[in-house]
């Protein structure tokens, strides 16, 4: 499967990474900041998320998601938008949504389903955009 590394358009990986990463900033800082705080039980608090860890950590995770997606898309020979959308649905629901929900269901997150809804929908949009970008720039 790793034999496709030489075939990947790495510029498309960079573009998809930037889009997915900036989507996260938009999602959590502009579109749903208050709902996100409510899901964490911190509705009336200022989140302490300005350190480099809270910027670089999600960025690194998104990079891993995008690179793994590129490897799979190329290895599976996905080269149409329809197939890219199916891929996004399978990877999104099968891995990203289920893992996000699993992480959310713990005693430290008081509103696990709200947290999962916000974060899972971010990942579904992110993986869909990633898949479409990678196929468009293949």
């Amino acid at each position: 499967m790793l034999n496709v590394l030489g075939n990947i358009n790495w510029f498309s990986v960079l573009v998809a990474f930037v889009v997915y990463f900036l989507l996260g900033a938009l999602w959590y800082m502009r579109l749903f900041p208050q709902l996100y705080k409510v899901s964490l039980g911190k509705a009336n608090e200022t989140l302490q998320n300005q350190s480099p860890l809270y910027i670089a950590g999600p960025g690194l995770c998104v990079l891993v998601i995008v690179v793994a997606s590129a490897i799979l898309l190329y290895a599976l020979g996905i080269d149409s938008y329809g197939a890219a959308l199916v891929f996004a649905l399978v990877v999104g629901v099968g891995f990203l949504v289920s893992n996000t929900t699993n992480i959310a269901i713990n005693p430290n997150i008081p509103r696990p389903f709200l947290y999962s809804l916000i974060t899972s929908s971010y990942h579904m949009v992110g993986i869909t955009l990633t898949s479409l970008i990678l196929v468009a720039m293949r």
Side-chain angles (χ1 to χ4, degrees), residues 1-5 71-72 75-76:
M1 182 172 298
L2 294 179
N3 59 336
V4 300
L5 289 175
I71 291 169
L72 289 171
L76 295 170

Side-chain angles (χ1 to χ4, degrees), residues 117-136:
L117 178 66
I118 294 165
T119 302
S120 293
S121 58
Y122 155 67
H123 282 298
M124 285 304 301
V125 172
I127 194 65
T128 301
L129 292 173
T130 293
S131 300
L132 293 172
I133 290 166
L134 293 173
V135 166

